[in-house]
Amino acid sequence: DGGITQSPKYLFRKEGQNVTLSCEQNLNHDAMYWYRQDPGQGLRLIYYSQIVNDFQKGDIAEGYSVSREKKESFPLTVTSAQKNPTAFYLCASSPGTVFNSPLHFGNGTRLTVT
Amino acid sequence: SQQGEEDPQALSIQEGENATMNCSYKTSINNLQWYRQNSGRGLVHLILIRSNEREKHSGRLRVTLDTSKKSSSLLITASRAADTASYFCATADVGNNDMRFGAGTRLTVKP
């Protein structure tokens, strides 16, 4: 089945450590996105990528980094510079032009930093 | 920053009743999308309506868009317990590379 796989589902880290969240898609979609979701709030865009080796910052990119070395993969690193990293992280992909077609989401990674 | 604002924040109805959720936004948009999220899961796309469209249907779902009022509504007819979820609207802004989500409406359908 085609889809987006995020791993792990739950992730625990100590403050000051960098952590990388995995996102893989086999939908052959060009565009990929990372969103953050906090309780009672909508999704906020961290980074997005239209094509391989290119990515753009979203509203809340500070303290995060990404890479897009392969079309299928868009890992997100939460660095120690992110002041409040505990959240639910959602990866998505879409065909065609960014933001003009439906997003397909993974099932998320819940990150807890203590 | 968030764009769409859903109303109400929470809605509780009986099975078989209709559920209406509203979304307001502030800027000019290319399209507006509705998504559903079950607790602890990713979002699932429901309907995309473009700025030149006024109404779309998909099964028991009906979406309207009023660009003059910058608002949209999602109607779920003959609701089922399985419709219990959070529903989000998202807008793709003209000229901006972003899709902005509201905080969602939490729908509970009681059997």
Side-chain angles (χ1 to χ4, degrees):
Chain A
D1 286 337
I4 298 181
T5 301
Q6 290 188 244
S7 61
K9 186 174 177 65
Y10 299 96
L11 193 52
F12 299 88
R13 280 295 182 271
K14 294 290 186 183
E15 194 173 325
Q17 293 179 332
N18 292 355
V19 60
T20 297
L21 282 59
S22 170
C23 177
E24 303 279 332
Q25 55 103 354
N26 60 5
L27 299 166
N28 200 32
H29 287 171
D30 288 316
M32 296 188 75
Y33 316 77
W34 275 105
Y35 284 91
R36 169 181 172 140
Q37 186 177 30
D38 293 283
Q41 296 190 35
L43 278 64
R44 291 184 289 167
L45 182 66
I46 305 173
Y47 270 97
Y48 67 95
S49 168
Q50 174 71 73
I51 57 173
V52 174
N53 292 323
D54 184 60
F55 46 83
Q56 306 295 329
K57 293 181 179 180
D59 286 340
I60 58 166
E62 185 175 349
Y64 300 97
S65 66
V66 294
S67 63
R68 187 88 187 274
E69 296 176 2
K70 298 186 300 181
K71 187 176 184 178
E72 302 80 17
S73 179
F74 192 40
L76 173 74
T77 296
V78 184
T79 75
S80 57
Q82 169 49 232
K83 295 178 182 177
N84 186 18
T86 294
F88 189 49
Y89 291 88
L90 288 159
C91 178
S93 70
S94 67
T97 310
V98 288
F99 307 114
N100 277 320
S101 52
L103 303 184
H104 298 250
F105 283 87
N107 278 324
T109 292
R110 189 168 298 280
L111 173 64
T112 302
V113 177
T114 58
Chain B
S1 60
Q2 294 178 196
Q3 152 100 301
E5 294 184 8
E6 288 91 345
D7 170 56
Q9 290 185 332
L11 181 60
S12 181
I13 59 174
Q14 293 295 133
E15 209 164 27
E17 294 180 339
N18 295 342
T20 299
M21 289 160 269
N22 302 296
C23 171
S24 60
Y25 58 92
K26 298 175 182 175
T27 62
S28 295
I29 62 172
N30 281 324
N31 65 71
L32 184 145
Q33 302 179 35
W34 284 91
Y35 289 82
R36 165 197 168 119
Q37 183 181 34
N38 287 78
S39 182
R41 309 278 289 184
L43 280 70
V44 175
H45 179 260
L46 297 176
I47 288 185
L48 181 153
I49 186 166
R50 302 204 181 276
S51 59
N52 61 352
E53 297 175 312
R54 292 297 168 258
E55 187 172 314
K56 286 190 83 169
H57 297 256
S58 176
R60 293 184 296 113
L61 306 181
R62 172 179 170 253
V63 168
T64 62
L65 178 65
D66 187 335
T67 53
S68 66
K69 296 181 179 178
K70 291 185 165 53
S71 68
S72 174
S73 68
L74 169 67
L75 168 68
I76 304 175
T77 60
S79 63
R80 306 165 182 168
D83 294 328
T84 294
S86 291
Y87 292 82
F88 295 87
C89 69
T91 54
D93 298 348
V94 171
N96 271 347
N97 288 324
D98 196 357
M99 181 174 290
R100 298 179 183 274
F101 286 79
T105 292
R106 173 70 188 167
L107 173 65
T108 301
V109 181
K110 299 176 183 177

